[in-house]
């Protein structure tokens, strides 16, 4: 199979739409590989005479991130714990009392900065919008942190990967195929490292609560 030809057959608009959609849904609170998709799309835009524009990828990712977080904010504001309960039933490894408790702890400690920097942390990227809404954070403050964070994370990652892809292109043959494999491998590696780091933080938070004789209650902020 000619993998390059297969990738060339995918319309650029479909890549933009899929990138934006996956990141949007992830930002609402559904665990999806938004970072992997963004890295893959950005690398594909780095090939020789690419049909995919890195500006289109970055714009789709930024819009998806900002809109998804805003939707998540209002969903969290109106449905709150019911949303987390629904997510917990379907994604128990990602959404449970310990992860929600840790995420609320981070929001309580860092406030609006948790929205901005949460873009760069897998767990907080998923929960930022719904948590900000459920905790009744001021929407104008949330929106400012949300949009600036979307530009910093989505735009920065897209153009950073694009630049690295351009540099790597000099040493690659059949770039579309190799680039896709590298993108997926890099995305999986980064996601795995971040997931292990967050899991360690969640475990440490839960252990500290238990050592203090406190119950982990995701409906409270502590």
């Amino acid at each position: 199979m000619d993998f390059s030809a297969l990738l060339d057959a995918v319309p650029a608009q479909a890549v933009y739409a899929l990138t934006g959609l996956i990141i949007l849904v992830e930002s609402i609170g559904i665990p999806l590989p938004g970072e992997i998709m963004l890295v893959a799309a950005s690398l594909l835009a780095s090939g020789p005479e690419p049909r995919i524009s890195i500006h289109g990828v970055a714009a789709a990712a930024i819009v998806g991130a900002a809109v998804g977080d805003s939707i998540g904010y209002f969903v969290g504001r109106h449905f709150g714990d019911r949303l987390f309960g629904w997510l917990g039933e379907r994604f128990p490894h990602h959404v449970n009392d310990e992860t929600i408790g840790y995420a609320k702890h981070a929001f309580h400690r860092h406030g609006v900065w948790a929205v901005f920097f949460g873009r760069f942390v897998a767990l907080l990227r998923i929960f930022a919008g719904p948590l900000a809404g459920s905790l009744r954070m001021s929407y104008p403050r949330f929106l400012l942190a949300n949009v600036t964070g979307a530009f910093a994370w989505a735009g920065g990652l897209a153009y950073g990967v694009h630049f690295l892809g351009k540099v790597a292109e000099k040493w690659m043959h059949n770039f579309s195929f190799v680039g896709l494999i590298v993108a997926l491998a890099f995305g999986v590696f980064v996601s795995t490292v971040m997931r292990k780091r967050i899991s360690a933080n969640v475990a440490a938070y839960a252990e500290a609560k238990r050592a203090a004789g406190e119950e982990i209650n995701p409906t409270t902020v502590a």
Side-chain angles (χ1 to χ4, degrees):
M1 176 184 293
D2 188 341
F3 212 87
S4 297
L6 179 61
L7 289 176
D8 288 340
V10 178
Q13 291 76 9
V15 175
Y16 306 147
L18 187 60
T19 300
L21 180 61
I22 289 179
I23 292 175
L24 183 150
V25 174
E26 179 190 43
S27 299
I28 292 176
I30 307 297
L32 288 180
E35 198 163 59
I36 294 177
M37 182 64 207
L38 179 55
V39 169
S42 299
L43 267 179
L44 289 177
S46 302
E49 301 180 0
R51 297 174 304 101
I52 300 171
S53 166
I54 186 58
H55 307 304
V57 171
I62 291 170
V63 171
V67 172
D69 251 15
S70 288
I71 294 174
Y73 174 91
F74 287 108
V75 171
R77 190 175 185 90
H78 292 290
F79 298 102
D81 293 326
R82 280 185 291 172
L83 169 65
F84 298 126
W86 181 83
L87 290 172
E89 292 177 356
R90 287 155 180 79
F91 309 100
H93 294 295
H94 296 86
V95 185
N96 51 61
D97 287 355
E98 292 185 357
T99 57
I100 296 174
Y102 172 78
K104 286 192 174 184
H105 165 73
F107 265 67
H108 177 68
R109 183 175 182 181
H110 302 293
V112 71
W113 289 108
V115 177
F116 179 86
F117 288 109
R119 278 286 171 202
F120 301 87
V121 181
L123 178 67
L124 294 182
R125 185 164 63 248
I126 295 172
F127 289 144
L131 274 180
S134 68
L135 297 176
R136 297 296 191 271
M137 180 181 289
S138 166
Y139 182 69
R141 296 179 63 216
F142 166 81
L143 183 61
L144 177 61
N146 171 29
V147 173
T148 54
F151 270 94
W153 173 72
L157 184 60
Y159 286 107
V161 171
H162 176 73
F163 172 76
L164 292 177
K166 283 294 186 184
V167 173
E169 179 188 340
K170 298 177 181 179
W171 295 279
M172 287 183 177
H173 300 287
N174 194 12
F175 181 83
S176 293
F177 175 74
V178 177
L180 180 62
I181 299 300
V182 171
L184 293 176
F186 178 75
V188 170
F189 172 76
V190 171
S191 297
T192 300
V193 171
M194 292 299 297
R195 184 168 59 251
K196 289 184 177 180
R197 178 66 181 273
I198 288 297
S199 295
N201 289 345
V202 171
Y205 165 78
E207 183 60 30
K209 296 286 284 185
R210 294 190 185 97
E214 300 177 14
E215 181 182 355
I216 302 174
N217 186 352
T219 62
T220 63
V221 182

